[in-house]
Amino acid sequence: MTRDGLTVPVPPPSGGPCVVCGHTSPAAVEVGYSRQTSGPGIVRYACPRHATAFVPGPVPDELLTSRDLLQ
């Protein structure tokens, strides 16, 4: 391992804010997905602390139709 490998800045948190507490976490868990009539849908995230208590909804892959899978 080089010194550069140890001094590289920490990447920004991935995902979005937690739907329960609003904090952004580098280990955010995808817990739901809301489709919109126009534009892309909205992915909902939870921090690891709240992910186990949050009832998960559909995620994007669960909303695929058979037509989507054939393309």
Side-chain angles (χ1 to χ4, degrees):
M1 180 174 281
T2 65
R3 185 177 6 174
D4 291 338
L6 298 172
T7 58
V8 174
V10 176
S14 63
C18 175
V19 294
V20 178
C21 66
H23 292 104
T24 303
S25 168
V29 178
E30 206 175 284
V31 293
Y33 182 77
S34 300
R35 282 192 165 179
Q36 294 184 339
T37 54
S38 64
I42 298 170
V43 179
R44 296 179 292 163
Y45 295 94
C47 63
R49 181 178 176 192
H50 293 116
T52 57
F54 192 81
V55 177
V59 293
D61 291 341
E62 294 175 341
L63 297 175
L64 293 175
T65 63
S66 57
R67 183 174 6 136
D68 296 331
L69 295 173
L70 295 175
Q71 294 179 357

